[in-house]
Structure formats: structure tokens, C-alpha cells
Amino acid sequence: MRPYRPKDNVQKKAYYNDRFYVTPQIPKDDPASDEVYSKDIEKLQSKFSISESYIQRGELVIYIDPDSNVEVLEFLKDELDYSFLMEMSAVDFLAQREGFEIFYELLSLSKRKRIRVKTFIKENQAIESVQHLFRSANFAEREMFDMFGIQVNNHPYLKRILMPDDWEGYPLRKTYPLQGDEFAQWYEVDKIFGKEARDIVGPEIRDSAHIDRYDTERFARLGHEVPRGTDISKDEPDTDNHEFQEEGGVFLIKDLNKPQKVLSEKERRER
Amino acid sequence: MAQHQVNYGQDAGLPVALTTIDKIVNWGRSNSLWVLTYGLACCGIEMMASGASRYDFDRFGTIFRASPRQAEVMVIAGTLTKKHAEFIRRLYDQMAEPKWVISMGSCANTGGMFNTYATVQGADRVVPVDIYLPGCAPRPETLQYAVMMLQKKIRREPANRNRNLKQKRFV
């Protein structure tokens, strides 16, 4: 028997069904091939355990132990002059490897080189904050917490940054549905009107082309309005012509729509 | 000895205008629609353009106000996120009666292209909407047209109609 693989797991779905297909990979070069990087990686390897390192697209990538992220970044900043944390975030590998890959993109302005520091943590493992080294990590770590639910230790203000504070779930995880779970779909209704208003407001209409001409709760029919909630499915009021103003003009307002005669060339010359 | 005889029956001859209370109230309301500035996204830029000199909203008596207590029309111009929904409702509740809502652009109408977890799928889930204005983003002319349609709608309504009806839906 073949092993059972759940087909509804989107993350495990293969993009390609061709079993001879090989995913295209950017070629990985040896770090020793670059003059600057070879010195850097030598210094790094003498101090820290680096499980893997290579050069991809002319940028050095190193894999480090999650416990030593602060020390490695401190060393990179102070000793090797990678002074600028361009960005950092996480990648969801929960389905494949039960954890997250966290990456730090550093730039050295003096060397004109970039380095990518990668580390892997388990699902409920926390990572140490690096915001005392790089101030830009403050918001990036908050976003990482907001979107993936990764706990960051010793962060001064670990709070959701984009989603509301009372939000449930972590939207950037691959298991999070794009159109939101039940909590997300009823969030604004629950918060403003309370759960009992769910029946009145109704579920979200995800079809943006949805039109119900008989729905007088949600659709105001210009020109033939009826009181809210009236049943017009039997006798629909006649369609009105849509002009800017009422026929015969408006009280105290000049009729803008008054037909004006366009003069022909000949008539204009006669004037 | 009147040398000139005034023909009061003629057009604009009589210095008296006869009308109904409804008409004169609605005339006042429809020609002084003060709009709450509510630019949420790129539609807000078009809304600002409508208020600027080229399109000149002041001609319609439409003046942008920064306070909900001085406004009677809320133009929801842009993407309404779920995080923001609470505040739009609060500002709507702070507006004085009578009040109207124009939902400007696809995002405010239906969520538009943001068919995601974080966007309110139509501002009408939160506040009652009078005019849905399509477009992404609608041009200033379209917003002007919407305001004209709203004026027309206001003139058709009885002046003392119970605007609270709409809100009672959720209370």
C-alpha cells in the first residue's frame, strides 16, 4: 500500500507532478571564491558553529545555531562591519520541518557586501531579540510575532503591529486561510454590534460582483428608493432616468440641464 | 397715479415664494452637504482632488470638515480594514442627524481586490450606505455625480423622516 498523504494540505502539495522534475536552483558558490567573504567566513567559523555557508547571487548565506543569533550578529556588526540590518523575518516550514526559518539580511556599507544569516527554530521555540544591536529589528520582530506567532525574548514591546491587539491566529502561516478563519470573518461584526448581530448582518459576500436587485437592506436603488427592508420582489418600481436634476428644475436653483443651442459655423459668422 | 403697473403674475414679479416646509428644508440640506474627510487609501486622493480648485466641490455647498460633529455626509474613500471598522462606526455615530454615507470606490463597496482576511467586505457591514460609487479609483467627476445623486435623493425624501430607522437595525 502507498502511504496516505492528506490532499487538503496545501502546503504539502507539490507544484509539479512530473516526477523527473528538478526544481531550478540558483547556483551556490564556495565562500572561498570571494575575497571578502572568504576572510569573513574564516573569522566566523573560528568563533561560532556554522552548519552551512555558500554564496548565492553574489551574497553570502550562513546557517547558524538559533541560540547564538545575538552573538553572531554582534560579531558581524562590531568586528566585520555589517552595520545595517536591512530586513529580517521568518519563513513558515511548519509542514515540512515543524518550525520556522528566521533570516537576517545585513549590509556592510564599507565593504559593499551583503550577508544573509539564517537560523531554524522549532514551532514553540523562542528567539532572542537583536533590537539592542539594530533598532530596525524592533518593528521587524514585532511583525514576526504578529504574523507567525514567534516569541521574541527580551523585546521591549512585543505587541502586534499590524493586526488588532485582540486578533486570533497568525496570518502569514501557511495554514491560515487567505479569506480568514471564522474569527476573522466575523471580527468587525462581533466587535461593533456583538455576536447576536451575526444573523442580521449575514456572512461576508466574497463575490465582489454580487448584486441582488431585490435586496433593499443592502442596495439602495437610486431613483426609486423604498423604505429599508421592503419586499420588492413582486412589484419592482419602474426604472427612473438618471439625470443630474429633477425635471422642471429645483426650487431656487438654476436648471443646469437646460438644452442649449449649438451654433453652426454660418450662424456664428452672422453674429 | 401709478405710472408703472407691476404685473405680479409675471415671472419673478411677486416678492413672495410659495413652497412647502419639506421642500425648503431639503433645499437647505441638499445644498450644504458638509463632508467628513475620510480618505483611507488612494480614493482619498481623488476625493481631495474633488475638493481642490479644478473640480471645486464648494460649488455644490460641499465643504470638507475634519470633525464628525460638523459633518453630515461621510465619504468612505478607500480600503476599510477590519482593524479600522470599529473607528468608522464610532465616527458615524458621532455625526449629527440627518446623515448620509457615500461608499466611494470598489474597496469600500465590496472589499474590491482585497479579498482577504483583513479587509471589511463592504463598508455596509458596518455603517448603512446611501450611495455606492463604483470605480478604482473613481474620478472626481464621479464623486461629483454621486453628490448630485445624493442631493436628488435628499430632495425626494420627507424632511422629517426618521433617520434613526437605519440605525435601529443594530441597536
Side-chain angles (χ1 to χ4, degrees), chain B residues 59-76:
Chain B
R59 291 179 295 152
F60 302 88
T62 303
I63 299 166
F64 287 106
R65 306 302 297 180
S67 163
R69 301 184 195 280
Q70 298 169 356
E72 47 210 347
V73 181
M74 180 190 255
V75 178
I76 305 170

PDB file of all heavy atoms in Angstrom, chain B residues 59-76:
ATOM      1  N   ARG B  59     -18.807  74.541  -4.993  1.00  0.00           N
ATOM      2  CA  ARG B  59     -19.937  74.954  -5.830  1.00  0.00           C
ATOM      3  C   ARG B  59     -21.214  74.250  -5.421  1.00  0.00           C
ATOM      4  O   ARG B  59     -22.313  74.771  -5.570  1.00  0.00           O
ATOM      5  CB  ARG B  59     -19.655  74.612  -7.294  1.00  0.00           C
ATOM      6  CG  ARG B  59     -18.568  75.421  -7.911  1.00  0.00           C
ATOM      7  CD  ARG B  59     -18.366  74.983  -9.327  1.00  0.00           C
ATOM      8  NE  ARG B  59     -17.884  73.611  -9.391  1.00  0.00           N
ATOM      9  CZ  ARG B  59     -18.102  72.785 -10.405  1.00  0.00           C
ATOM     10  NH1 ARG B  59     -18.817  73.188 -11.431  1.00  0.00           N
ATOM     11  NH2 ARG B  59     -17.609  71.580 -10.407  1.00  0.00           N
ATOM     12  N   PHE B  60     -21.065  73.041  -4.913  1.00  0.00           N
ATOM     13  CA  PHE B  60     -22.239  72.270  -4.510  1.00  0.00           C
ATOM     14  C   PHE B  60     -22.615  72.530  -3.050  1.00  0.00           C
ATOM     15  O   PHE B  60     -23.499  71.883  -2.516  1.00  0.00           O
ATOM     16  CB  PHE B  60     -21.963  70.775  -4.664  1.00  0.00           C
ATOM     17  CG  PHE B  60     -21.594  70.376  -6.044  1.00  0.00           C
ATOM     18  CD1 PHE B  60     -20.283  70.403  -6.459  1.00  0.00           C
ATOM     19  CD2 PHE B  60     -22.578  69.990  -6.937  1.00  0.00           C
ATOM     20  CE1 PHE B  60     -19.942  70.044  -7.742  1.00  0.00           C
ATOM     21  CE2 PHE B  60     -22.242  69.633  -8.214  1.00  0.00           C
ATOM     22  CZ  PHE B  60     -20.928  69.654  -8.626  1.00  0.00           C
ATOM     23  N   GLY B  61     -21.894  73.434  -2.423  1.00  0.00           N
ATOM     24  CA  GLY B  61     -22.098  73.620  -0.997  1.00  0.00           C
ATOM     25  C   GLY B  61     -21.466  72.515  -0.190  1.00  0.00           C
ATOM     26  O   GLY B  61     -21.760  72.334   0.979  1.00  0.00           O
ATOM     27  N   THR B  62     -20.586  71.757  -0.842  1.00  0.00           N
ATOM     28  CA  THR B  62     -19.935  70.632  -0.174  1.00  0.00           C
ATOM     29  C   THR B  62     -18.594  71.093   0.357  1.00  0.00           C
ATOM     30  O   THR B  62     -17.701  71.409  -0.407  1.00  0.00           O
ATOM     31  CB  THR B  62     -19.744  69.482  -1.172  1.00  0.00           C
ATOM     32  OG1 THR B  62     -21.025  69.144  -1.685  1.00  0.00           O
ATOM     33  CG2 THR B  62     -19.126  68.289  -0.510  1.00  0.00           C
ATOM     34  N   ILE B  63     -18.495  71.140   1.664  1.00  0.00           N
ATOM     35  CA  ILE B  63     -17.274  71.610   2.292  1.00  0.00           C
ATOM     36  C   ILE B  63     -16.751  70.485   3.174  1.00  0.00           C
ATOM     37  O   ILE B  63     -17.504  69.881   3.929  1.00  0.00           O
ATOM     38  CB  ILE B  63     -17.533  72.880   3.123  1.00  0.00           C
ATOM     39  CG1 ILE B  63     -18.051  73.999   2.213  1.00  0.00           C
ATOM     40  CG2 ILE B  63     -16.272  73.306   3.845  1.00  0.00           C
ATOM     41  CD1 ILE B  63     -18.635  75.159   2.943  1.00  0.00           C
ATOM     42  N   PHE B  64     -15.462  70.205   3.061  1.00  0.00           N
ATOM     43  CA  PHE B  64     -14.881  69.136   3.870  1.00  0.00           C
ATOM     44  C   PHE B  64     -14.681  69.614   5.297  1.00  0.00           C
ATOM     45  O   PHE B  64     -14.159  70.699   5.540  1.00  0.00           O
ATOM     46  CB  PHE B  64     -13.558  68.681   3.270  1.00  0.00           C
ATOM     47  CG  PHE B  64     -13.737  67.874   2.028  1.00  0.00           C
ATOM     48  CD1 PHE B  64     -13.464  68.400   0.782  1.00  0.00           C
ATOM     49  CD2 PHE B  64     -14.213  66.579   2.100  1.00  0.00           C
ATOM     50  CE1 PHE B  64     -13.645  67.663  -0.356  1.00  0.00           C
ATOM     51  CE2 PHE B  64     -14.393  65.823   0.970  1.00  0.00           C
ATOM     52  CZ  PHE B  64     -14.117  66.368  -0.267  1.00  0.00           C
ATOM     53  N   ARG B  65     -15.115  68.783   6.216  1.00  0.00           N
ATOM     54  CA  ARG B  65     -14.954  69.099   7.626  1.00  0.00           C
ATOM     55  C   ARG B  65     -14.091  68.018   8.269  1.00  0.00           C
ATOM     56  O   ARG B  65     -14.186  66.852   7.915  1.00  0.00           O
ATOM     57  CB  ARG B  65     -16.307  69.138   8.346  1.00  0.00           C
ATOM     58  CG  ARG B  65     -17.315  70.044   7.706  1.00  0.00           C
ATOM     59  CD  ARG B  65     -16.857  71.456   7.606  1.00  0.00           C
ATOM     60  NE  ARG B  65     -16.618  72.087   8.894  1.00  0.00           N
ATOM     61  CZ  ARG B  65     -16.218  73.333   9.029  1.00  0.00           C
ATOM     62  NH1 ARG B  65     -16.018  74.077   7.969  1.00  0.00           N
ATOM     63  NH2 ARG B  65     -16.011  73.829  10.219  1.00  0.00           N
ATOM     64  N   ALA B  66     -13.320  68.419   9.256  1.00  0.00           N
ATOM     65  CA  ALA B  66     -12.447  67.446   9.905  1.00  0.00           C
ATOM     66  C   ALA B  66     -13.099  66.819  11.120  1.00  0.00           C
ATOM     67  O   ALA B  66     -12.556  65.926  11.727  1.00  0.00           O
ATOM     68  CB  ALA B  66     -11.139  68.116  10.297  1.00  0.00           C
ATOM     69  N   SER B  67     -14.279  67.316  11.489  1.00  0.00           N
ATOM     70  CA  SER B  67     -14.929  66.797  12.689  1.00  0.00           C
ATOM     71  C   SER B  67     -16.251  66.129  12.310  1.00  0.00           C
ATOM     72  O   SER B  67     -17.021  66.687  11.533  1.00  0.00           O
ATOM     73  CB  SER B  67     -15.193  67.937  13.664  1.00  0.00           C
ATOM     74  OG  SER B  67     -16.139  67.522  14.618  1.00  0.00           O
ATOM     75  N   PRO B  68     -16.531  64.952  12.825  1.00  0.00           N
ATOM     76  CA  PRO B  68     -17.810  64.305  12.507  1.00  0.00           C
ATOM     77  C   PRO B  68     -19.007  65.082  13.033  1.00  0.00           C
ATOM     78  O   PRO B  68     -20.108  64.948  12.510  1.00  0.00           O
ATOM     79  CB  PRO B  68     -17.691  62.935  13.191  1.00  0.00           C
ATOM     80  CG  PRO B  68     -16.660  63.105  14.233  1.00  0.00           C
ATOM     81  CD  PRO B  68     -15.710  64.121  13.708  1.00  0.00           C
ATOM     82  N   ARG B  69     -18.799  65.907  14.040  1.00  0.00           N
ATOM     83  CA  ARG B  69     -19.927  66.638  14.615  1.00  0.00           C
ATOM     84  C   ARG B  69     -20.362  67.797  13.710  1.00  0.00           C
ATOM     85  O   ARG B  69     -21.428  68.359  13.904  1.00  0.00           O
ATOM     86  CB  ARG B  69     -19.564  67.167  15.991  1.00  0.00           C
ATOM     87  CG  ARG B  69     -19.184  66.035  16.907  1.00  0.00           C
ATOM     88  CD  ARG B  69     -18.899  66.484  18.308  1.00  0.00           C
ATOM     89  NE  ARG B  69     -18.204  65.432  19.020  1.00  0.00           N
ATOM     90  CZ  ARG B  69     -18.774  64.371  19.557  1.00  0.00           C
ATOM     91  NH1 ARG B  69     -20.084  64.222  19.444  1.00  0.00           N
ATOM     92  NH2 ARG B  69     -18.081  63.470  20.188  1.00  0.00           N
ATOM     93  N   GLN B  70     -19.525  68.171  12.768  1.00  0.00           N
ATOM     94  CA  GLN B  70     -19.897  69.258  11.850  1.00  0.00           C
ATOM     95  C   GLN B  70     -20.265  68.714  10.482  1.00  0.00           C
ATOM     96  O   GLN B  70     -20.502  69.476   9.567  1.00  0.00           O
ATOM     97  CB  GLN B  70     -18.725  70.230  11.707  1.00  0.00           C
ATOM     98  CG  GLN B  70     -18.349  70.885  13.006  1.00  0.00           C
ATOM     99  CD  GLN B  70     -17.039  71.625  12.905  1.00  0.00           C
ATOM    100  OE1 GLN B  70     -16.375  71.594  11.883  1.00  0.00           O
ATOM    101  NE2 GLN B  70     -16.671  72.292  13.975  1.00  0.00           N
ATOM    102  N   ALA B  71     -20.252  67.409  10.334  1.00  0.00           N
ATOM    103  CA  ALA B  71     -20.448  66.832   9.002  1.00  0.00           C
ATOM    104  C   ALA B  71     -21.771  66.085   8.945  1.00  0.00           C
ATOM    105  O   ALA B  71     -22.316  65.656   9.964  1.00  0.00           O
ATOM    106  CB  ALA B  71     -19.305  65.884   8.677  1.00  0.00           C
ATOM    107  N   GLU B  72     -22.279  65.962   7.722  1.00  0.00           N
ATOM    108  CA  GLU B  72     -23.491  65.167   7.565  1.00  0.00           C
ATOM    109  C   GLU B  72     -23.354  64.099   6.498  1.00  0.00           C
ATOM    110  O   GLU B  72     -24.201  63.236   6.404  1.00  0.00           O
ATOM    111  CB  GLU B  72     -24.685  66.055   7.260  1.00  0.00           C
ATOM    112  CG  GLU B  72     -24.430  67.064   6.195  1.00  0.00           C
ATOM    113  CD  GLU B  72     -25.267  68.300   6.414  1.00  0.00           C
ATOM    114  OE1 GLU B  72     -26.186  68.270   7.231  1.00  0.00           O
ATOM    115  OE2 GLU B  72     -24.982  69.288   5.740  1.00  0.00           O
ATOM    116  N   VAL B  73     -22.308  64.172   5.711  1.00  0.00           N
ATOM    117  CA  VAL B  73     -22.056  63.106   4.742  1.00  0.00           C
ATOM    118  C   VAL B  73     -20.691  62.516   5.043  1.00  0.00           C
ATOM    119  O   VAL B  73     -19.727  63.233   5.265  1.00  0.00           O
ATOM    120  CB  VAL B  73     -22.064  63.628   3.292  1.00  0.00           C
ATOM    121  CG1 VAL B  73     -21.831  62.479   2.330  1.00  0.00           C
ATOM    122  CG2 VAL B  73     -23.359  64.288   2.983  1.00  0.00           C
ATOM    123  N   MET B  74     -20.646  61.187   5.076  1.00  0.00           N
ATOM    124  CA  MET B  74     -19.366  60.517   5.253  1.00  0.00           C
ATOM    125  C   MET B  74     -19.010  59.867   3.929  1.00  0.00           C
ATOM    126  O   MET B  74     -19.777  59.052   3.419  1.00  0.00           O
ATOM    127  CB  MET B  74     -19.507  59.469   6.348  1.00  0.00           C
ATOM    128  CG  MET B  74     -18.250  58.704   6.639  1.00  0.00           C
ATOM    129  SD  MET B  74     -18.604  57.318   7.732  1.00  0.00           S
ATOM    130  CE  MET B  74     -17.936  57.927   9.235  1.00  0.00           C
ATOM    131  N   VAL B  75     -17.903  60.302   3.333  1.00  0.00           N
ATOM    132  CA  VAL B  75     -17.450  59.668   2.097  1.00  0.00           C
ATOM    133  C   VAL B  75     -16.361  58.676   2.489  1.00  0.00           C
ATOM    134  O   VAL B  75     -15.259  59.079   2.855  1.00  0.00           O
ATOM    135  CB  VAL B  75     -16.909  60.697   1.087  1.00  0.00           C
ATOM    136  CG1 VAL B  75     -16.406  59.993  -0.157  1.00  0.00           C
ATOM    137  CG2 VAL B  75     -17.998  61.676   0.704  1.00  0.00           C
ATOM    138  N   ILE B  76     -16.688  57.411   2.470  1.00  0.00           N
ATOM    139  CA  ILE B  76     -15.698  56.394   2.825  1.00  0.00           C
ATOM    140  C   ILE B  76     -14.851  56.174   1.587  1.00  0.00           C
ATOM    141  O   ILE B  76     -15.240  55.468   0.666  1.00  0.00           O
ATOM    142  CB  ILE B  76     -16.367  55.096   3.275  1.00  0.00           C
ATOM    143  CG1 ILE B  76     -17.341  55.384   4.413  1.00  0.00           C
ATOM    144  CG2 ILE B  76     -15.325  54.090   3.718  1.00  0.00           C
ATOM    145  CD1 ILE B  76     -18.198  54.207   4.754  1.00  0.00           C
TER     146      ILE B  76
END
